[in-house]
Amino acid sequence: MTVIYDPQNPLRSPVTSADRVLYAVQQAIVEGDIAAGSKLTETGLAKQFNVSRAPLREALARLERCHLVERTPNAGVRVVTLSYESLIALYQIREELEGLACRLAAEKMANEEVDALSKLLEQHLKDQRVREGESYYQEAGDVDFHYRIILASKNQYLINMLCDELYFLVRMYRVQLGMNGPRVSRAFDEHKAIITAIANRDGELADLLMRRHISASRKNIETKLQAHKEVS
Amino acid sequence: MTVIYDPQNPLRSPVTSADRVLYAVQQAIVEGDIAAGSKLTETGLAKQFNVSRAPLREALARLERCHLVERTPNAGVRVVTLSYESLIALYQIREELEGLACRLAAEKMANEEVDALSKLLEQHLKDQRVREGESYYQEAGDVDFHYRIILASKNQYLINMLCDELYFLVRMYRVQLGMNGPRVSRAFDEHKAIITAIANRDGELADLLMRRHISASRKNIETKLQAHKEVS
DNA sequence: CGACAGCATTATGTCGACAATGTCAGGAAT
DNA sequence: ATTCCTGACATTGTCGACATAATGCTGTCG
């Protein structure tokens, strides 16, 4: 299985042309450089990236896998549009799966890993760039935290579904709606509580806290999305 | 998004060569005609199905998506092998996601849909072929029941993940380990209880019952897998 | 006898071209 | 004026061939 987020390959160095194109287009979609809802033509993208349509089609297929584009047979692919319904649907699943991930992590994480994660969090708290609310670092820190717990679950399907199939979409919502508000410090406290639960090997509590954390995050995005819709 | 199990297209009529090949290979893997763990070569399969490698590669990519094969860059694809760890991992996720599906179905299913599902179940109970334990019909009936609930959740990501990405693997375990034992009647009772909970709009209970139902199913398969391993 | 290096073979990755399908604008008929 | 048909255009689906990387064999060396 091609794991897009490969713990052995965190920098995602492309081994093939299709990888290169995938990473580029993926980022462009997530960050809004390619507008949501716009149509992607194979020939156009192929020219743009100086590759033939074969690797490009593979890249599109993999974009479809992570729900960033939708394909209709004989018609083409279109970048997904952000909507209230999709956001809710996405976060409902995140609650379940990341809750499970927490429960499993509480069982399987080595003490050293827990310490490392705890240190990572402290480091992010001290990091000036985070405190100044620079969106990118904050985003990266949060994603890193969630990724580590998911990976610690050691459940291959769970890892694949969350890191490869859902998280790009999560990031798309957060980036495009500009999630850099006052939730930062509260999120840190929530992260801290989750780690503590995991350290205490209290899977049930870790599960509950993660669900609440994600639920709070969802509510936060909901308000932004509301504002976003009112503008457009 | 290409929904492999399309409620509008339950017979999965192939619209493209890639579809045709996909359906054929998918079934062959699920039913064990292509052995678990065996290597699939693009050229070989292309000749076998009288198509070029382009649509075949797409079919393989989609097989990868539903976790039936694993691809290593520049090395090829290999049919997955059944293992205890994978089975557990798979069912852990099913418990969470199908539990969620039940909860959502209890909210969103129309009364008519609940009645229809209830009737479907009664019909399966009466069906002679099911009572005689013919594996295929029993399998189909169970899958149908679960599919309907998942579809009733109206959560696109949930539907996609369960019906398109996980259920072929679930079926692979069941078919290849010969799940046609005495669990049938108990499963029917469990299904019945789930429908009742949904009819009563008790999402919490439906969730719990579905989790237990899947857990029981897992334990049932675990014993078969154990026997399977001891033989081989 | 075992291990390693080099080569031949095979399979995957990529390419450009053709075929089939969908899209859209313009005109004819109602 | 609106609807339907028609045909040209654009885009996707498929093909065969070439480039490149992995696999397996063979012969040689330790």
Side-chain angles (χ1 to χ4, degrees), chain B residues 69-219:
Chain B
V69 303
E70 293 176 357
R71 159 171 265 151
T72 351
N74 286 315
V77 307
R78 184 169 289 280
V79 178
V80 296
T81 55
L82 306 184
S83 73
Y84 181 78
E85 292 74 25
S86 289
L87 177 72
I88 301 299
L90 177 61
Y91 272 69
Q92 277 174 340
I93 293 178
R94 272 192 73 194
E95 278 191 41
E96 298 296 327
L97 294 187
E98 293 207 43
L100 171 62
C102 264
R103 219 179 322 138
L104 295 175
E107 294 172 16
K108 302 190 177 178
M109 227 170 174
N111 286 328
E112 297 76 39
E113 290 180 277
V114 179
D115 290 346
L117 186 52
S118 199
K119 280 198 180 66
L120 178 82
L121 195 65
E122 295 294 341
Q123 190 184 321
H124 276 142
L125 255 176
K126 285 181 206 151
D127 195 321
Q128 199 62 24
R129 291 170 301 193
V130 173
R131 292 163 78 162
E132 285 169 2
E134 286 183 36
S135 172
Y136 173 76
Y137 287 102
Q138 174 185 322
E139 165 78 17
D142 186 89
V143 167
D144 197 20
F145 175 80
H146 285 266
Y147 272 31
R148 291 206 184 203
I149 290 180
I150 294 163
L151 292 175
S153 77
K154 304 285 199 323
N155 180 316
Q156 56 165 323
Y157 301 117
L158 192 56
I159 294 169
N160 184 245
M161 288 181 143
L162 284 170
C163 297
D164 298 346
E165 294 174 9
L166 290 182
Y167 248 79
F168 291 101
L169 194 53
V170 173
R171 290 183 52 216
M172 183 172 172
Y173 271 97
R174 304 215 291 210
V175 171
Q176 297 206 10
L177 298 177
M179 290 294 107
N180 52 359
R183 216 187 99 69
V184 188
S185 57
R186 245 195 72 192
F188 271 111
D189 292 341
E190 291 169 7
H191 285 184
K192 186 93 182 136
I194 290 169
I195 293 181
T196 304
I198 290 176
N200 292 336
R201 305 301 175 191
D202 189 344
E204 205 175 344
L205 180 60
D207 182 339
L208 176 73
L209 291 174
M210 180 57 96
R211 283 168 188 265
R212 280 197 193 165
H213 172 59
I214 291 170
S215 176
S217 173
R218 170 179 53 76
K219 280 172 191 142

Side-chain angles (χ1 to χ4, degrees), chain B residues 52-70:
Chain B
S52 87
R53 282 177 51 220
L56 191 117
R57 275 173 69 89
E58 178 164 335
L60 289 180
R62 283 155 74 179
L63 283 174
E64 194 186 357
R65 179 149 104 181
C66 54
H67 307 281
L68 291 180
V69 303
E70 293 176 357

Side-chain angles (χ1 to χ4, degrees), chain A residues 1-4 19 62 65 160 164, chain B residues 64 70-73:
Chain A
M1 156 187 354
T2 303
V3 174
I4 295 174
D19 291 338
R62 283 155 76 179
R65 180 148 95 179
N160 185 246
D164 298 346
Chain B
E64 194 186 357
E70 293 176 357
R71 159 171 265 151
T72 351

